[in-house]
Amino acid sequence: MLTDLSTDILKKYTTRKEKSRATNTELLKRIINESGLKIGFIADKVGIPRQTLWKKINNKSSFNQNEIAAMCDVLKITKLKDKEAIFFANV
């Protein structure tokens, strides 16, 4: 599981386009893919419908604090730097 992102990876996936959004979609999708977990499983663990999770991943709506915490737990994202790069890309 991905627990520590290198600076090069963070720079690569924090593009100018992504900085205008709250969630770094490309990076989050990559982490989900690398985790091997299915979207339906992740959505269930986060406590939201699968379609809602897709909307949040693709910046059609925002993750709330509890959802971010749950996503980090499920995906084993532990480092603050990684959480910020994924969920607060434009801050």
Side-chain angles (χ1 to χ4, degrees), residues 23-87:
T23 301
N24 186 324
T25 300
E26 287 184 43
L27 183 55
L28 183 54
K29 284 181 178 180
R30 180 173 176 261
I31 291 168
I32 290 169
N33 187 48
E34 289 180 2
S35 76
L37 301 174
K38 302 286 184 189
I39 290 295
F41 175 82
I42 296 169
D44 185 54
K45 292 297 183 184
V46 174
I48 58 177
R50 190 174 69 133
Q51 297 84 355
T52 302
L53 179 58
W54 270 117
K55 288 178 183 177
K56 291 174 183 284
I57 290 170
N58 291 296
N59 286 294
K60 303 294 182 197
S61 65
S62 299
F63 285 98
N64 68 36
Q65 182 179 354
N66 293 333
E67 293 164 345
I68 291 171
M71 289 287 291
C72 290
D73 287 343
V74 171
L75 296 172
K76 310 272 191 259
I77 302 166
T78 58
K79 304 230 181 254
L80 179 60
K81 182 171 109 178
D82 298 343
K83 294 175 186 181
E84 289 173 344
I86 296 163
F87 296 104

